[in-house]
Amino acid sequence: MTTTALPNPSASGAGRPPLPVKMVIAGGFGVGKTTTVASISEIDPLTTEASITEVAAGVDDLTHTPHKTTTTVAMDFGVITLDPTLKLYLFGTPGQDRFGFMWDDLVAGALGGLVIVDTRRLDDCFAAVDYFENKGLPFAVGINVFDGNLDHDLDEVRWALDIPDSVPLVLFDARERGSVRDALLVVLELALQRAEEE
Amino acid sequence: MSGSDDASGRRGKAVVRALRPYVDPPEEDTPAPGPSSRSASASGPAPGPAGEPVRRSLSVRPFLVTAGRVTDADRLPLETQVITTTAGLNALPALTFEQHDIVAACREPLSLAELAARLHLHLNVVRVLAGDLRSAGHLTVHAPQADAAHDLSVLRRVIDGLRAVPDSRGLTRDNNRPA
Ligand SMILES: Nc1nc2c(ncn2[C@@H]2O[C@H](COP(=O)(O)OP(=O)(O)O)[C@@H](O)[C@H]2O)c(=O)[nH]1
Ligand SMILES: [Mg+2]
């Protein structure tokens, strides 16, 4: 774990802070979100608590509106100081399949997303894939190769996930910083390409 | 799971109710048999789906610390940078615990998310308190550039910066590639 000296800490606070940008790391429980953030963050991943809105499947009989509740979830994040004026934040968000989590708060303004998949439990990632697709957020699907080799070929996985060719599918190792970096770069290249087309 | 559904459902409602006083006015105050059991079964194993930890210990603190208020600050993005002002530093001795800790921590720019994690406070508490401290002139709060995700120069800077991050063997992305 490297630490980077903070740029010109200013006692007066008068200087401009670095520009913060963020990316979202999503996926089911145990797929390697925290590991991914830890591999590349310059701080030990921190956990904070965020409120998310849950939309329960049923409809409230009294109001005829979807029943919404607010739940507190642990969300971990890390940071990479790319240069003294630019900080990249990574937010690892819990994503489960049984609820329509509203991550709007987390993804607003994000540069892109990485959905992590464990091929042994593919369906855990559908909520995140659907969500990013609906939001129009540039994202890639990263297959975390837990034991260094993959039982399926990539085309099979793509078919099973039912993602279009426009969504990059990458193999990566959540424990290896260079591998995480490269997976994030795939997302960013896609974001750049999209922005250039706008 | 079936045997504990009822209990965890009720605990789930308790957490929601504890949070609601500041998030949202409570809609139902007592666990009446009808609606409560219906929503408990509708939300199933909430609030800890599939084992992602849901912390209960802090669930009442937001209400206590912020006295039930919600400000515009509750919409500030997680990566919003917060910096202490000279006035904030001078006011440190007079500030109460959470406010003191926030002002002390932000001598260097910190994001709201980092602040929440370092001080073990709920994100929304930090948002509200940072909003108050800003109003008092103790902090400056810098929301991120709203269109950063569509700004070509920002995207290119992030890509260049990330390419230069070495892997565990010290190789940058560009070293790694065949020449
Ligand atoms: N062998 C191996 N274990 C991993 C890998 N990625 C994550 N793990 C382990 O899998 C477990 C779950 O990972 P974690 O990052 O906590 O998942 P999260 O729930 O998505 O945050 C942890 O015990 C990790 O150490 C990997 O690439 N290889
Ligand atoms: Mg985790």
Side-chain angles (χ1 to χ4, degrees), chain A residues 6-7 9-23 27-30 33-34 40 43 46-51 54 56-62 67-77 79-80 82-83 85-89 91 93-99 101 104-106 108-112 176-179 181-186 188-189 191-192 195-196 198, chain B residues 13 15-16 19-20 22-24 27-28 35 38-39 42-59 74-81 83-86 89 107-118 121-124 127 140 142-146 148-152 154-169 171-174 176:
Chain A
L6 278 149
S10 134
S12 70
R16 279 205 64 78
L19 176 68
V21 293
K22 70 177 165 188
M23 297 178 73
F29 180 71
K33 298 182 297 293
T34 304
I40 198 159
I43 57 172
L46 294 167
T47 298
T48 188
E49 295 176 321
S51 296
E54 253 178 45
V59 163
D60 187 318
D61 291 344
L62 298 175
H67 186 81
K68 288 188 184 181
T69 57
T70 302
T71 298
T72 299
V73 294
M75 172 190 67
D76 41 45
F77 71 92
V79 62
I80 311 162
L82 295 176
D83 71 47
T85 61
L86 187 61
K87 275 182 169 180
L88 174 60
Y89 287 90
F91 290 96
T93 73
Q96 271 72 38
D97 46 0
R98 275 165 296 169
F99 301 98
F101 280 132
D104 301 15
D105 192 30
L106 305 183
L111 303 185
E176 170 50 49
R177 195 198 299 152
S179 185
R181 173 197 65 201
D182 292 350
L184 296 177
L185 280 167
V186 168
L188 290 165
E189 299 281 4
L192 178 63
E196 281 169 345
E198 274 170 11
Chain B
K13 296 299 284 183
V15 171
V16 169
L19 280 165
R20 279 205 170 171
Y22 88 102
V23 173
D24 214 12
E27 283 154 21
E28 33 182 345
R38 194 167 47 242
S39 45
S43 56
E52 197 70 36
V54 173
R55 305 278 180 78
R56 294 192 173 80
S57 56
L58 286 176
S59 59
D74 69 343
R75 304 310 313 167
L76 285 171
L78 309 168
E79 67 276 25
T80 298
Q81 302 284 303
I83 315 176
T84 297
T85 60
T86 307
L89 279 183
R107 291 181 168 107
E108 298 162 351
L110 277 186
S111 63
L112 292 175
E114 275 166 295
L115 260 180
R118 283 200 194 179
L121 291 169
H122 191 288
L123 190 57
N124 285 349
R127 282 175 162 146
T140 55
H142 302 258
Q145 184 185 324
H150 305 277
D151 184 325
L152 295 180
V154 170
L155 286 166
R156 291 194 182 110
R157 281 171 63 201
V158 177
I159 289 172
D160 290 345
L162 204 52
R163 279 178 180 279
V165 169
D167 68 11
S168 55
R169 289 167 302 156
L171 297 174
T172 65
R173 169 60 185 246
D174 296 321
N176 233 347

Side-chain angles (χ1 to χ4, degrees), chain B residues 61 64-66 95-105 115 119-121 125-126 129 133:
Chain B
R61 284 180 64 77
L64 300 177
V65 176
T66 64
L95 294 173
T96 57
F97 293 111
E98 284 83 4
Q99 296 197 333
H100 177 277
D101 291 349
I102 291 175
V103 170
L115 260 180
L119 304 181
H120 303 287
L121 291 169
V125 173
V126 171
L129 293 178
L133 289 165

